[in-house]
Amino acid sequence: MKRTLGAVAGAAVVALALSGCGTQAEAGDGESSLKGDAAAATCDAVDVGAITRCENFYDDYWPEIDKQLDALYEQAKEEDGGTLVIWDWYELSPDVIAQFNERFPDIKVETRGLTYNLSSAIISAKATGSRNTDVVSGSITSMAAMYDEGFWEKVDWQSFGVPEEYLTLGAPELMPDSINGSLLQYNTDKIAEVPASLDGLLAPEYTGKVSVAGYNAVVFAGYGMAEGEDAMLDLIDELMSSGTMKLLEDQGAPLSSGDVPVALNQTLFNPNPSLQVAPFEHSGVWAQFSGVNSDAKNKPGAALWTLWNAFDPDWIHLRMTDERFASTQVPFAGLPAVTFGEATGLMKTNADALLLGLDSGAETETQDTRDDWQAMINAADKALNG
């Protein structure tokens, strides 16, 4: 369930090429048949950077959402023989599916992990008439091609009990289920602390000690959004020409050994106890979204999964405390603060860093700034890879 923003530019180009003459855009037109009947509630709102937290979510919103899950389950069992197809960056683990089936036993989940090919596979399945994924997901930038081609069913998530405040970063049909972001990963056996900004990496003590993956140009995009493209490109050039930063496809092994003890990356999923993560000035922290594929065969099942995965308190508790699920994304920052307070292990490491980044003014992509973010990622990608 880990997702990334890396390499979105190339994936978007391929996906759009597969879309033919643009007929897919009709797929998401019109009003969705999916609609709940949840009673409205009022958010006890607290700003966490660009995200609004509803501290009363589990008191006033979840009971209504929970009722909707029961109704969706009954519908989902009747669609496509109760089969639910989920494609994502990585396939779902059997442990995750088992947790879903503990409550919804009559749903058969089929999953695929497609990494960079996720968007193109979804668009290609539509074009060829193949069985498509029921659930679509990604960040505002990484799923741009799928969104523009109409693959996000226009579900009224508020009618299922989701706070209006959660639906302001993206288009209304994009249901936020987690957060991710750019972080400095570092080996505390070799580096006591990392600087508070990317510019700080130019200090002599970091020469040769920093890595970045060529596909992860997004880690510079927040800096570019704040300081401008020219400043971002100058920074990348300085980091590389000074010998400070190495371009590595595999950052994990040299980070863990300490050979290259600082990695510009995203959330950490290496259990090495010497590894830590930290936000930095102008780091990007963004929401991840899930939704219903307009080409889905089991739309109630897709809505059921999307709501359960984002909000079910028993599932969220496991994500926060059970190391089996340490590789899942950090839950959406709009959930109550107490939810994150129970985090342990790697989930705590990542959640603390991302929430600190948001509180410190991280750059956050929105639907309105999507194209600017994409242009900045493209520029950083070209600077890194030529």
Side-chain angles (χ1 to χ4, degrees), residues 3-8 139 141-142 180 215 218 266 286 365 377:
R3 304 177 195 144
T4 181
L5 260 175
V8 294
S139 72
T141 303
S142 69
N180 198 3
Y215 57 79
V218 68
Q266 297 175 35
W286 51 84
E365 59 180 11
I377 295 169

Side-chain angles (χ1 to χ4, degrees), residues 86-307:
I86 302 176
W87 298 351
D88 208 330
W89 192 263
Y90 300 104
E91 68 179 34
L92 299 176
S93 75
D95 285 337
V96 172
I97 295 172
Q99 290 303 314
F100 179 71
N101 283 147
E102 188 171 299
R103 176 166 178 185
F104 307 111
D106 295 328
I107 303 296
K108 179 185 177 183
V109 178
E110 298 179 357
T111 180
R112 291 176 66 191
L114 293 155
T115 60
Y116 307 106
N117 299 313
L118 178 60
S119 292
S120 58
I122 291 171
I123 294 174
S124 180
K126 172 67 176 180
T128 60
S130 304
R131 179 62 163 91
N132 215 327
T133 180
D134 294 311
V135 176
V136 283
S137 59
S139 72
I140 289 173
T141 303
S142 69
M143 54 76 171
M146 287 192 294
Y147 182 81
D148 289 348
E149 293 297 299
F151 282 87
W152 287 70
E153 183 87 358
K154 295 189 182 301
V155 178
D156 179 2
W157 293 112
Q158 280 186 258
S159 73
F160 289 96
V162 178
E164 178 183 7
E165 290 79 2
Y166 288 6
L167 305 171
T168 58
L169 289 174
E173 61 267 38
L174 308 183
M175 225 285 296
D177 63 8
S178 55
I179 55 173
N180 198 3
S182 302
L183 297 168
L184 284 173
Q185 302 179 355
Y186 62 105
N187 189 318
T188 58
D189 291 338
K190 302 292 184 178
I191 299 287
E193 60 181 5
V194 287
S197 69
L198 294 182
D199 300 280
L201 292 173
L202 292 168
E205 60 263 35
Y206 297 108
T207 301
K209 296 181 178 179
V210 182
S211 75
V212 69
Y215 57 79
N216 213 356
V218 68
V219 298
F220 293 101
Y223 185 97
M225 291 294 290
E227 301 292 340
E229 182 177 325
D230 289 343
M232 178 189 72
L233 296 179
D234 287 345
L235 173 64
I236 294 173
D237 180 65
E238 284 189 75
L239 287 168
M240 297 187 73
S241 63
S242 67
T244 296
M245 187 173 70
K246 302 177 180 183
L247 203 61
L248 298 177
E249 293 310 294
D250 175 17
Q251 295 174 277
L255 173 69
S256 198
S257 68
D259 291 341
V260 186
V262 181
L264 260 173
N265 210 319
Q266 297 175 35
T267 41
L268 177 70
F269 296 110
N270 185 328
N272 182 339
S274 296
L275 303 185
Q276 287 295 323
V277 292
F280 51 87
E281 185 181 17
H282 305 319
S283 61
V285 177
W286 51 84
Q288 301 274 358
F289 301 85
S290 288
V292 178
N293 189 349
S294 57
D295 193 42
K297 298 297 183 185
N298 194 337
K299 292 182 181 180
L304 176 70
W305 168 269
T306 297
L307 291 166

Side-chain angles (χ1 to χ4, degrees), residues 93 95-96 99 315 318-319 322-328 347:
S93 75
D95 285 337
V96 172
Q99 290 303 314
W315 171 228
L318 286 175
R319 287 170 64 178
D322 192 323
E323 285 300 308
R324 289 179 300 163
F325 308 113
S327 62
T328 60
M347 185 60 76

Side-chain angles (χ1 to χ4, degrees), residues 2-3 54 63 106 154 204 338 358 375:
K2 180 185 175 187
R3 304 177 195 144
C54 293
D106 295 328
K154 295 189 182 301
V338 66
L358 283 170

